[in-house]
Amino acid sequence: MDTAKRMNQLVVELNRHNRLYHELDAPEITDWEFDTLFRELEALEGAHPQLVRADSPTRYVGGTPVPEILPFVHQIPMLSLQNGYKREPPEEDPWIDLRDFEERVRRVLGADAPAVITYVVEPKLDGLAMELVYEERRFVRGGTRGDGVTGEDVTHNLRVIPSVPKVLPPSAPARLSVRGEVLFDLPGFERMNAAREAAGERRFENPRNSAAGTMRQLDPRSAAGRPLHFYAHSAAVVSERVPSHHELLTRAASWGFVVNPLNRLCNGIEEVIAAVADIERLRADLPYEIDGAVVKVDSAALQDALGFVTRSPRWAAAFKYPPPTAQTRLDSVLFSVGRTGAVTPVANLAPVRVGGVTVRNATLHNEHQLTRVLRLREKDLVEIRRAGDVIPEVLGAIDEPGREARPFVAYPETCPQCGAHLVREPNPDDPDKVLIRCPDKLGCPAQARGAIRHFASRLAMDIEGLGEKLIDQLVTHGLVKRPSDIYTLTKEQLVGLERMGELSAKNLIDAIEVSRSRPLERALMALGIPMVGEATARDLARHFGSIDALLAAPVTELTGVFGVGENVAKAVRAFFDEPGNIEEIGRLREAGVKFPAVARVVSATTFAGKTFVLTGTLPTLSRDAAKAKIEAAGGKVTGTVSKKTDYVVVGADAGTKLDKAQELGVPTLDEAALLGLLEGSV
Ligand code: IVH
């Protein structure tokens, strides 16, 4: 039968079985049979994307939006890998770190070390680490790595990735948690970008960040349409004994997981080195991004014998390759104006492929970098570098005949967006990093656009329908200058804008209306306070309970908020000290934005009546910050240890107070334990 016919048949059959199962509760086939048909269709669609039908079940199965992303707690913490690097000259042996690794393994194993140790070498995939949990051979949930203990539950998006098996065959163990990486395939990524460009949408710059962004979407339809893949590389829970890593990979493949075809079993470290070098040679042509190789001791018994150091196994290590570089021509330098008015130089480049991705822009960081360090001249031939998760950067200009005759790239005196004279704000911490800003908060369309986009964005006021293009139009037509102006818009003003009919205008007005009642934390986030993101906005809202309490808070009280450090506290205070910001808050309130008060969840009870003594230097908190946090939770900080002291908080180079505490039997805490206690108190 021809492919198109078979695909049509599968779509019709699967849709019928879906209805039988979900709507009529009368399935005619087993889940396993359903999944087999489903995968056949997925495979055919993967090979013939032009034949994918709009009503294909692969496009909607499991595809229901979630109201919010919930935490995902790993059954077993997700560890990281010790890093080694491919060394560059003057180091004579580029693979010295690999030899060191084998030596460490041998040292720990001692007399138990076999004459030849068997390893598995794998590419280190530059994607998003994920855990997939299977119960009774069904995919039940999956989540991101997060901090290794708690990540984010992205089950709804994992369900729409074809290479995530939804049901495992009877040969698979009943309980299984598989770990691996989700990543974009590069040809698919380029195709998707071409399609986005054709539709007038913004290109995605970086496959890894875009994959992360896609996986965090609430509506799985974004993920469903994108070329995402899951590669399995390890397991956290397997309800059967598997004697070696290679055997685990082989079995995982037989259970339906995609494992990387470049994984290789190697006898002894010389074979490992050859394999790691081979993978590097293949790197530029791989259809996905890697940033190194991972070497794992194969035998499960040896893995057990080797065990773990704090956060990583002793039996595995990552070896990173140098990030890829390329040369290209500098077309021009663009000075972009952010929502706070900060002006940053961006290199506009002749498109060039670096590590499988086409790069057109690269950061030049700041004025110092552009004019003092790089000293770029117009139309320079430049070397750029693209390291996995960061923006590509310009490393320097290549010398060539005639270069000296070309003028240096000049930093503008006036705002490229509004013409205002730029101001230089010295950075007391780093004189090289003067901040160059456009001072015209209201007159500058770039700042207005940025502030309004932020205000309306999903994590802030979440005004559905108020997207980038519409905001650009509203600002260009002078209808809005600042976020509060959104609330004065009328339907009549909207109708007549591009792509705005009666219905969409009405919907937008309704969405704006709804946004007036967003919870305090969202409204705070929407204000665009420097350094205040989603989490900090929530901490502030919970701590203060109302906008007025927050507005009045001095820095000392702000540092007492759980999750707020000194720099953030200062940034918040500075923001509220600026009359323009207070006026805007006033206008928002007048326009009916409620900033609704919430119950304060700081309990002053856990630490109430408890006395603390601080000694030594804590790793992240200053003494004042630690004190403020303890006091905010109702505790007291004193200077001397006595029998009445409840806890001594101990940092590096602790002095006699620690001796005293031990002598009196007073419990001691390190910073992490203190923060843990505090967290338990909110
Ligand atoms: S095994 C105990 N194998 O690298 C650690 N990890 O630093 C088990 N990664 O985010 C991890 N490719 O997700 C392993 N072939 C591979 C990998 C790999 C990429 C990621 C992993 C984690 C990071 C570890």
Side-chain angles (χ1 to χ4, degrees):
M1 186 189 310
D2 84 1
T3 312
K5 241 190 181 153
R6 176 67 184 152
M7 287 172 75
N8 282 334
Q9 197 181 47
L10 285 166
V11 168
V12 173
E13 263 301 88
L14 285 162
N15 281 344
R16 189 173 75 86
H17 288 302
N18 253 331
R19 245 186 338 272
L20 285 169
Y21 183 90
H22 290 289
E23 291 166 30
L24 306 172
D25 203 13
E28 288 175 5
I29 57 176
T30 65
D31 291 344
W32 171 244
E33 285 164 330
F34 181 89
D35 206 54
T36 308
L37 294 175
F38 194 86
R39 283 208 223 173
E40 183 187 347
L41 178 60
E42 278 178 338
L44 290 171
E45 288 182 346
H48 309 277
Q50 74 286 3
L51 295 180
V52 178
R53 282 174 48 155
D55 61 344
S56 166
T58 59
R59 301 181 64 159
Y60 65 80
V61 158
T64 24
V66 295
E68 61 177 327
I69 301 269
L70 296 170
F72 177 94
V73 180
H74 296 283
Q75 294 156 288
I76 298 177
M78 244 172 150
L79 303 173
S80 41
L81 292 168
Q82 316 166 50
N83 279 329
Y85 297 87
K86 181 187 176 190
R87 299 290 169 182
E88 314 234 14
E91 180 58 65
E92 274 170 36
D93 178 0
W95 306 114
I96 183 83
D97 288 2
L98 280 167
R99 295 183 203 282
D100 285 352
F101 170 63
E102 153 123 330
E103 219 169 274
R104 261 198 323 276
V105 166
R106 286 198 170 280
R107 203 178 326 123
V108 177
L109 291 176
D112 295 336
V116 176
I117 301 178
T118 303
Y119 298 93
V120 176
V121 173
E122 307 175 1
K124 184 167 194 303
L125 305 169
D126 198 5
L128 293 176
M130 285 289 165
E131 174 166 321
L132 312 182
V133 181
Y134 291 80
E135 284 169 10
E136 298 304 327
R137 300 176 188 82
R138 285 170 162 282
F139 173 56
V140 287
R141 64 185 170 278
T144 61
R145 174 172 201 274
D147 62 7
V149 176
T150 312
E152 293 182 316
D153 189 322
V154 292
T155 311
H156 59 296
N157 285 324
L158 286 165
R159 277 197 198 286
V160 299
I161 298 180
S163 45
V164 168
K166 317 302 177 295
V167 184
L168 304 181
S171 60
R175 271 181 3 105
L176 180 68
S177 288
V178 167
R179 289 173 175 179
E181 304 279 309
V182 164
L183 36 72
F184 269 120
D185 78 73
L186 296 176
F189 186 72
E190 290 286 332
R191 269 199 305 277
M192 179 178 76
N193 263 339
R196 288 179 67 86
E197 209 163 24
E201 291 172 296
R202 201 171 42 79
R203 290 177 62 92
F204 289 141
E205 292 288 340
N206 173 313
R208 188 178 183 281
N209 294 353
S210 315
T214 307
M215 294 308 289
R216 292 197 80 240
Q217 298 287 315
L218 300 176
D219 188 338
R221 271 174 297 185
S222 315
R226 294 179 183 166
L228 290 164
H229 304 268
F230 175 77
Y231 284 94
H233 59 48
S234 48
V237 178
V238 193
S239 60
E240 65 188 31
R241 174 87 185 155
V242 185
S244 73
H245 182 64
H246 194 255
E247 175 63 25
L248 173 72
L249 293 176
T250 309
R251 289 192 200 172
S254 78
W255 301 329
F257 293 94
V258 178
V259 298
N260 196 287
L262 299 179
N263 296 345
R264 203 201 293 175
L265 197 60
C266 298
N267 289 314
I269 200 68
E270 293 308 323
E271 280 189 34
V272 166
I273 290 173
V276 173
D278 280 349
I279 294 177
E280 187 183 17
R281 269 191 292 280
L282 293 173
R283 180 183 189 188
D285 298 318
L286 293 177
Y288 44 81
E289 289 202 279
I290 66 169
D291 59 353
V294 180
V295 181
K296 304 172 182 177
V297 171
D298 188 45
S299 144
L302 291 184
Q303 289 183 2
D304 290 344
L306 285 159
F308 298 85
V309 280
T310 2
R311 295 189 49 78
S312 39
R314 279 209 199 85
W315 45 263
F319 293 87
K320 302 274 188 84
Y321 305 127
T325 60
Q327 292 186 1
T328 187
R329 190 64 64 184
L330 176 68
D331 268 348
S332 59
V333 176
L334 210 109
F335 294 88
S336 100
V337 184
R339 75 178 151 88
T340 59
V343 177
T344 39
V346 179
N348 238 324
L349 305 165
V352 61
R353 285 179 75 79
V354 196
V357 175
T358 306
V359 169
R360 293 144 207 265
N361 301 301
T363 179
L364 293 160
H365 297 290
N366 50 42
E367 187 213 22
H368 181 79
Q369 181 75 8
L370 172 61
T371 62
R372 307 281 168 79
V373 180
L374 300 172
R375 298 173 58 84
L376 291 191
R377 292 174 184 266
E378 286 175 12
K379 305 291 173 195
D380 261 345
L381 184 62
V382 291
E383 176 154 60
I384 64 167
R385 172 170 69 190
R386 199 178 144 266
D389 50 353
V390 296
I391 312 169
E393 62 173 342
V394 174
L395 293 176
I398 313 287
D399 207 11
E400 56 183 340
R403 172 167 192 257
E404 304 283 292
R406 293 196 303 264
F408 284 112
V409 175
Y411 221 88
E413 300 282 318
T414 54
C415 173
Q417 293 280 334
C418 72
H421 256 275
L422 297 179
V423 294
R424 303 167 68 91
E425 280 173 14
N427 179 341
D429 297 331
D430 185 350
D432 284 345
K433 295 213 177 107
V434 272
L435 187 64
I436 299 190
R437 274 188 357 109
C438 165
D440 193 358
K441 215 171 166 169
L442 289 179
C444 180
Q447 288 188 63
R449 279 195 297 264
I452 294 166
R453 270 182 212 162
H454 176 79
F455 186 85
S457 66
R458 195 168 55 80
L459 295 175
M461 294 305 237
D462 193 14
I463 305 180
E464 177 130 19
L466 190 51
E468 271 183 36
K469 285 197 185 146
L470 183 56
I471 293 172
D472 290 354
Q473 286 193 67
L474 292 172
V475 172
T476 312
H477 290 284
L479 292 172
V480 293
K481 274 201 168 82
R482 52 195 158 214
S484 56
D485 295 340
I486 294 171
Y487 294 99
T488 65
L489 286 171
T490 61
K491 206 171 97 188
E492 291 65 38
Q493 285 175 318
L494 292 174
V495 175
L497 293 174
E498 239 175 80
R499 287 199 241 171
M500 254 297 156
E502 285 276 337
L503 184 63
S504 22
K506 179 183 173 301
N507 287 344
L508 180 58
I509 295 288
D510 289 349
I512 292 172
E513 169 61 35
V514 171
S515 76
R516 288 187 164 96
S517 315
R518 291 275 180 253
L520 181 58
E521 60 188 71
R522 299 285 206 98
L524 288 180
M525 158 92 184
L527 294 177
I529 307 169
M531 305 179 77
V532 174
E534 194 192 356
T536 308
R538 189 178 326 121
D539 292 335
L540 290 171
R542 289 188 183 169
H543 184 96
F544 290 100
S546 75
I547 180 122
D548 290 313
L550 172 62
L551 288 178
V555 171
T556 46
E557 194 179 346
L558 288 162
T559 43
V561 178
F562 175 76
V564 171
E566 268 158 349
N567 288 337
V568 176
K570 282 189 197 148
V572 173
R573 194 55 259 161
F575 182 86
F576 291 134
D577 282 341
E578 201 168 303
N581 293 332
I582 297 296
E583 278 166 32
E584 173 66 357
I585 293 170
R587 268 189 299 267
L588 286 167
R589 292 175 114 171
E590 248 163 63
V593 175
K594 299 203 175 83
F595 294 97
V598 289
R600 300 186 58 187
V601 279
V602 176
S603 88
T605 52
T606 313
F607 280 14
K610 300 263 189 263
T611 309
F612 289 73
V613 173
L614 303 170
T615 176
T617 313
L618 299 178
T620 70
L621 291 176
S622 73
R623 193 166 276 241
D624 283 343
K627 183 164 184 267
K629 281 184 199 301
I630 292 169
E631 288 172 355
K636 207 168 82 182
V637 176
T638 66
T640 41
V641 182
S642 74
K643 267 194 262 171
K644 291 200 190 122
T645 309
D646 292 289
Y647 297 102
V648 174
V649 182
V650 183
D653 302 320
T656 52
K657 289 178 193 169
L658 174 58
D659 302 336
K660 188 80 192 264
Q662 283 166 347
E663 193 185 308
L664 296 174
V666 175
T668 59
L669 303 171
D670 62 5
E671 180 184 291
L674 172 69
L675 291 174
L677 269 187
L678 278 163
E679 200 167 2
S681 79
V682 294

